[in-house]
Amino acid sequence: MSNSYATTGARPTSRWKRFVKSNLLTFLTVVGVFGGTALGLLLKNSAEPWTQREVMYIQYPGDLFLRMLKCLIVPLLVSSITSAIGSLDLSMSKKIAFRAIVYYFTTTICAVILGIILVSTIRPGAGREVNNIGGKATTRQVLTADTLLDLVRNLFPPNIIQATMFQFRTILVPPANATGVPLTQYKITSEFTEGTNVLGLVMFSVVLGTCIGKMREKGKPLLGLFETLSEAMMIITSWVIWISPIGVLFLVAAKLLEMASFVEVLGQLGWYFMTVMLGLILHGFGTISVIFFLTTRKMAFPFIAKMSQVLATAFGTGSSSATMPITIRCLDNMGIDPRVTRFVIPVGATINMDGTALYEAVAALFIAQLRNIHLTFGHIVAVSVTATAASIGAAGIPQAGLITMVMVLDTVGLPAEDVTIIIAVDWLLDRFRTTINVMCDALGTILVNSLSKKDLSGEANGHLELAEPHELVELRPDQKE
């Protein structure tokens, strides 16, 4: 009997215990999603309509979890990108950045094209009326050019401390008699609105990391500071994520309590909802998986299966930025090079919003179909370009796509108020598209890591050649005690 154990390895019970121990958090997070759904439906059907205060009490544990994650975003983002780029030479940083940006741009374009094909084929808004299901949406009058210019302005914040708390945006003020006056003649002002300017922080971190890399020996003390800060943030993340099952449970339950009659809403917006969902599924498990396979010669599904906790957290929080610490930790556990992970994931959480791009293209054409507005090929191309730009400018926070949706509607000449038509189902679609965004970021990191393996190993060998003799014992991977 002992010989059989020696040949087959550990006892089956021991292997089972190790499996449960290593996947316990993932299992609990998934249970939190389904448990929150069950709890929300149970509470919704067991009492009169819940008041805002009662829903707030239910959501309170989830809010605390979300605040903890958001607290980690700025220090983790700055330290991760700076340390990742600073530890690489300039040519290696360029290669990784180029591969990541090409991947993100390709997947975003594919998502928009897929969305346009589906909405043009299914035509979910043709011959239908949508009444009395709209909600309140925050809209503002602004030109598409202003939104794009603000996107570039936020890349270069005037104050890096201010960028951690505020974003710049253009405001158009109507003249005294604004009736019939076009927006181009409105007075141009500006303001700083509350919310982290992630684009500005990413740009600053990239420049600072590049500078540290060029300084070589002189920059090592500063590089050590950011590497230590990044490691400390990941340790704190490992503490916080054990709260994720509880946080996700209460966040999902509270959202279900807030919604109106979902059956009635789906009756009117069902085709729109199914079109977006079909697009997200085809893009996430079709387009991205095909690109991943063609590039790495590996199937994406085993990697997706290992990301269950990340995807469940993304669905529960509805925020790709808040999920970023958990995504980095998951990829570290999968053996991805930390230098790649800490650069590609923060950049992806900022500029790569495939699900948002697809949703905005579908939503704009759906509303045009409802209004019986015929769109030319030029309009559709304009929607494609604008949806891509809008997805880059969308913040990684819940329902941020509604804000940039106004920009896409302006492209086809639709009023900003039409956003209220789709807001009834946006909260649920937002969670699904966030999940696809996060999955795309993670697979992109694995893809870039696979393409960069030879370069990264070559750089490691280069560091060995530059090392002092007494340091080679520690640096050489083939040396064993």
Side-chain angles (χ1 to χ4, degrees):
M1 183 70 70
S2 60
N3 291 336
S4 65
Y5 283 134
T7 56
T8 59
R11 294 174 182 269
T13 53
S14 299
R15 291 200 298 269
W16 174 250
K17 286 180 181 178
R18 286 200 300 270
F19 174 79
V20 171
K21 185 177 180 180
S22 60
N23 294 278
L24 178 61
L25 185 58
T26 300
F27 175 74
L28 291 176
T29 307
V30 174
V31 168
V33 173
F34 289 103
T37 303
L39 177 63
L41 294 175
L42 180 65
L43 294 176
K44 190 174 182 65
N45 295 324
S46 64
E48 295 296 321
W50 288 66
T51 65
Q52 183 182 7
R53 176 166 290 276
E54 290 170 337
V55 174
M56 182 268 290
Y57 289 145
I58 297 294
Q59 190 172 331
Y60 185 71
D63 278 340
L64 292 181
F65 168 66
L66 204 53
R67 292 166 75 92
M68 291 178 193
L69 284 179
K70 288 181 177 180
C71 180
L72 299 173
I73 292 174
V74 172
L76 179 61
L77 184 145
V78 174
S79 62
S80 295
I81 296 180
T82 304
S83 60
I85 295 181
S87 61
L88 298 168
D89 62 36
L90 189 57
S91 62
M92 187 68 248
S93 299
K94 286 180 179 178
K95 290 179 182 178
I96 292 177
F98 176 76
R99 289 163 182 160
I101 291 173
V102 168
Y103 168 80
Y104 289 146
F105 182 76
T106 302
T107 56
T108 302
I109 291 295
C110 289
V112 172
I113 293 174
L114 176 61
I116 289 175
I117 291 174
L118 288 176
V119 74
S120 300
T121 304
I122 299 174
R123 296 186 62 80
R128 294 182 175 84
E129 293 184 1
V130 180
N131 298 311
N132 301 321
I133 62 171
K136 294 182 179 179
T138 302
T139 60
R140 63 189 180 97
Q141 293 180 311
V142 65
L143 294 173
T144 302
D146 293 328
T147 306
L148 294 175
L149 291 174
D150 286 347
L151 185 66
V152 178
R153 287 189 184 103
N154 280 317
L155 276 172
F156 307 99
N159 187 318
I160 193 62
I161 304 300
Q162 184 187 45
T164 63
M165 296 176 283
F166 298 98
Q167 298 183 37
F168 178 91
R169 75 175 185 181
T170 299
I171 300 293
L172 300 182
V173 180
N177 299 316
T179 306
V181 178
L183 288 177
T184 52
Q185 296 182 17
Y186 278 31
K187 181 181 178 182
I188 302 175
T189 60
S190 62
E191 67 177 5
F192 283 93
T193 59
E194 188 174 349
T196 304
N197 179 8
V198 180
L199 281 174
L201 293 178
V202 167
M203 175 61 75
F204 176 81
S205 302
V206 168
V207 174
L208 180 59
T210 303
C211 178
I212 291 175
K214 289 182 69 66
M215 292 174 67
R216 297 185 178 274
E217 289 298 324
K218 290 183 179 179
K220 281 190 175 181
L222 189 56
L223 176 63
L225 170 65
F226 284 105
E227 288 177 337
T228 305
L229 179 59
S230 177
E231 185 177 345
M233 290 301 103
M234 292 310 302
I235 293 174
I236 296 175
T237 299
S238 67
W239 298 342
V240 172
I241 59 174
W242 280 100
I243 312 172
S244 60
I246 299 174
V248 167
L249 185 148
F250 285 102
L251 284 172
V252 173
K255 277 299 177 184
L256 287 171
L257 291 176
E258 284 180 347
M259 74 177 184
S261 175
F262 194 63
V263 175
E264 179 183 345
V265 170
L266 276 187
Q268 294 184 297
L269 290 176
W271 281 103
Y272 162 73
F273 182 87
M274 294 307 298
T275 302
V276 176
M277 284 300 302
L278 178 62
L280 293 175
I281 292 171
L282 289 177
H283 182 67
F285 297 95
T287 307
I288 297 177
S289 298
V290 169
I291 293 174
F292 186 87
F293 175 77
L294 292 176
T295 308
T296 65
R297 301 301 177 186
K298 296 178 182 177
M299 297 298 292
F301 301 108
F303 295 100
I304 295 174
K306 295 178 182 179
M307 290 185 256
S308 302
Q309 184 205 350
V310 174
L311 301 182
T313 304
F315 181 86
T317 61
S319 171
S320 54
S321 294
T323 312
M324 183 177 68
I326 298 177
T327 308
I328 292 176
R329 182 178 182 272
C330 175
L331 292 173
D332 284 348
N333 292 338
M334 290 167 62
I336 306 302
D337 194 304
R339 292 172 293 179
V340 177
T341 303
R342 280 156 177 72
F343 173 66
V344 179
I345 287 295
V347 172
T350 306
I351 68 171
N352 182 50
M353 303 287 177
D354 287 4
T356 303
L358 185 147
Y359 143 83
E360 290 186 343
V362 171
L365 298 186
F366 166 73
I367 293 173
Q369 291 170 2
L370 281 178
R371 301 300 189 196
N372 292 318
I373 296 177
H374 175 71
L375 298 179
T376 64
F377 179 76
H379 279 128
I380 294 177
V381 172
V383 167
S384 304
V385 175
T386 312
T388 303
S391 68
I392 296 173
I397 59 175
Q399 293 184 290
L402 278 179
I403 307 301
T404 54
M405 187 70 226
V406 176
M407 172 176 159
V408 184
L409 291 179
D410 179 65
T411 303
V412 289
L414 293 169
E417 291 72 21
D418 279 0
V419 169
T420 59
I421 294 175
I422 59 173
I423 198 174
V425 293
D426 182 76
W427 69 270
L428 184 56
L429 289 176
D430 178 58
R431 276 156 168 69
F432 284 109
R433 64 180 184 254
T434 298
T435 304
I436 294 299
N437 291 342
V438 171
M439 187 177 81
C440 181
D441 293 345
L443 289 178
T445 305
I446 299 171
L447 183 149
V448 172
N449 182 78
S450 177
L451 294 177
S452 306
K453 271 187 176 180
K454 290 184 179 180
D455 297 318
L456 290 169
S457 61
E459 179 170 294
N461 293 333
H463 285 315
L464 293 179
E465 293 174 4
L466 294 174
E468 295 295 331
H470 68 275
E471 296 177 317
L472 294 178
V473 176
E474 296 180 340
L475 291 174
R476 288 192 184 278
D478 56 343
Q479 293 268 345
K480 294 184 180 179
E481 294 181 2

